[in-house]
Amino acid sequence: MRQQSGTVTWADGRRTVLPCVINKGINICENNDTAIVRFLSKFPESKPTSNNVIHLQRHGLTRGQLQKSISEALSHNKPVIIRGSGSPSASVLDVEYLETNFGLSPLMRVTMHDVAKRVKNFTYPHKQGTAQQFLDDAGDPSKIQCILDIPLSHVGLPPELQLLDHGLVYGWNQTTVDCPIRSGKVHPDNFTMKSWALLHQAGFVSYSHYDADGAITFVRIEMGIKLWVVFRPKHTLSRTALQKAQMLFSNFANNRKEIMLTWSAEIVTLLDGDLLFQPAGQFHAVYTPKKLFVTGGHLHHFGSLHLTELSRYIDAHKARFLTNQVHDNALETFQRMTISLPRLSPNVGHLSASV
């Protein structure tokens, strides 16, 4: 970041830089990204005593206890943060680290989101390049960029949590005899986007949004820090009122006062090794104050289909305003999950939401 970058102190006392890209002597982020980060910093830090975010320590929980705790929290529309899930394997985020640990070639073509381009045109912030070029630019204080959804299908959930992905475990794995895949037209995103990675340069803020397709999202911090702000309406809202409340964020500058009256929020600070699960349709914003590499993915769970349905309702009406990435594969997974129901093991709980 440039020396001209200001700083902000968050609710937990942490001080971070603010977004700053200088153009003709002016910080072009000031009225957008910088203002949003200042706004996010005012919300309280999520604590283990929170009623809305479940905090777990990995140590001391069996595999079954961990899966049950996560499933129950997600079905009740509560994010889950798991501390002590591991530690980074290196201290430097460079091409050698990415290739040695995740097989990512420095020559891999990627689509970057560029803050300067986003300020000019929110709809088209993209630029093409390679992983090597992105990391080289990380030291350039005149740029703030990120890469979303780097396919990483060989990584996925930690082995002890893989059974949480009901779409894959039951939907795809256990229906191919009853319903063989004959057409060869299964969308590749059903598998390539089950797991992905994110690369961020310091100072990137992801505006308030939800993740599309009604999916549960999980992220693991491999290296870096994320300040993950989860929003919750202050009062119970109908689906149409919820959609309207979310649309307030599409014009943050004009609606800031109404946003504060409508929404509460907590900041979940994610550090190296932390693992976060967030429910389908969870509205959130994220700030990355230092260079970062994250692995994560999406999954579907029978116990959360009531939230999936609500999220996809909003998708159908306002996705282009309220989400950042849209995929075309989810319906195929839901079809497979439906096919699996007659043969589903009675040991699979939380079915009341799906039938």
Side-chain angles (χ1 to χ4, degrees):
M1 301 291 287
R2 284 185 175 271
Q3 291 182 349
Q4 296 98 316
S5 300
T7 61
V8 63
T9 301
W10 296 70
D12 66 348
R14 184 187 311 274
R15 190 170 68 171
T16 69
V17 295
L18 287 164
C20 180
V21 175
I22 301 297
N23 184 3
K24 298 180 180 179
I26 298 173
N27 179 11
I28 62 173
C29 300
E30 186 62 37
N31 294 328
N32 297 289
D33 295 33
T34 303
I36 289 173
V37 172
R38 287 198 178 100
F39 167 72
L40 297 175
S41 72
K42 303 302 181 184
F43 289 107
E45 179 77 9
S46 184
K47 298 180 179 179
T49 54
S50 171
N51 292 322
N52 299 319
V53 178
I54 303 301
H55 293 248
L56 300 176
Q57 287 290 337
R58 175 62 194 93
H59 303 298
L61 293 176
T62 66
R63 175 182 179 180
Q65 289 172 331
L66 192 60
Q67 290 185 7
K68 182 179 179 181
S69 295
I70 296 169
S71 296
E72 290 180 350
L74 293 174
S75 70
H76 288 92
N77 201 21
K78 296 182 179 183
V80 183
I81 172 66
I82 305 169
R83 310 287 188 187
S85 296
S87 58
S89 55
S91 58
V92 178
L93 178 50
D94 55 17
V95 292
E96 181 180 358
Y97 166 78
L98 295 177
E99 187 164 16
T100 299
N101 293 281
F102 300 96
L104 295 177
S105 168
L107 302 180
M108 178 183 181
R109 292 286 293 175
V110 295
T111 299
M112 308 177 203
H113 290 236
D114 181 82
V115 166
K117 291 175 70 70
R118 184 170 68 176
V119 169
K120 291 180 180 179
N121 188 333
F122 176 80
T123 306
Y124 299 104
H126 313 101
K127 59 184 289 187
Q128 301 297 311
T130 66
Q132 176 73 70
Q133 289 170 336
F134 176 86
L135 289 171
D136 289 345
D137 285 345
D140 185 342
S142 68
K143 297 179 181 178
I144 302 176
Q145 300 173 142
C146 82
I147 308 173
L148 299 178
D149 286 2
I150 302 170
L152 212 64
S153 55
H154 56 291
V155 177
L157 284 163
E160 61 190 358
L161 298 177
Q162 288 174 346
L163 296 185
L164 291 173
D165 188 349
H166 289 178
L168 188 61
V169 173
Y170 301 108
W172 286 103
N173 289 348
Q174 300 185 30
T175 61
T176 55
V177 173
D178 283 330
C179 187
I181 303 173
R182 301 188 189 280
S183 68
K185 295 182 179 180
V186 173
H187 199 289
D189 276 1
N190 283 295
F191 310 105
T192 60
M193 296 313 300
K194 299 298 282 187
S195 179
W196 34 253
L198 311 174
L199 267 171
H200 282 68
Q201 295 170 1
F204 195 96
V205 58
S206 297
Y207 299 162
S208 303
H209 68 285
Y210 68 91
D211 294 341
D213 308 318
I216 293 166
T217 298
F218 66 92
V219 293
R220 183 182 186 274
I221 307 299
E222 302 294 343
M223 192 178 301
I225 177 174
K226 269 191 176 293
L227 300 171
W228 202 283
V229 184
V230 291
F231 292 93
R232 179 176 292 267
K234 291 184 176 181
H235 307 286
T236 301
L237 301 176
S238 68
R239 60 180 55 210
T240 52
L242 177 62
Q243 177 182 294
K244 182 179 179 180
Q246 291 181 349
M247 282 298 295
L248 292 173
F249 289 91
S250 66
N251 193 339
F252 164 78
N254 290 338
N255 296 329
R256 179 169 178 165
K257 187 173 182 179
E258 192 171 354
I259 289 170
M260 294 299 292
L261 292 173
T262 307
W263 294 90
S264 61
E266 297 178 34
I267 302 168
V268 181
T269 301
L270 300 177
L271 304 173
D272 290 348
D274 286 345
L275 181 64
L276 175 75
F277 285 82
Q278 69 174 14
Q282 172 68 61
F283 218 66
H284 63 287
V286 188
Y287 185 53
T288 304
K290 61 181 290 187
K291 187 167 64 173
L292 166 137
F293 180 67
V294 168
T295 56
H298 299 303
L299 61 94
H300 293 97
H301 191 284
F302 282 116
S304 293
L305 291 183
H306 57 301
L307 300 174
T308 293
E309 186 276 329
L310 176 58
S311 177
R312 288 178 64 80
Y313 164 82
I314 296 175
D315 268 0
H317 292 82
K318 300 294 182 180
R320 69 190 185 98
F321 300 105
L322 298 174
T323 192
N324 56 356
Q325 297 281 85
V326 178
H327 305 112
D328 300 318
N329 61 291
L331 189 58
E332 293 175 354
T333 292
F334 298 140
Q335 291 167 344
R336 287 282 161 178
M337 291 175 72
T338 303
I339 293 168
S340 76
L341 285 173
R343 300 191 183 279
L344 204 62
S345 166
N347 294 322
V348 179
H350 305 298
L351 289 183
S352 59
S354 65
V355 295

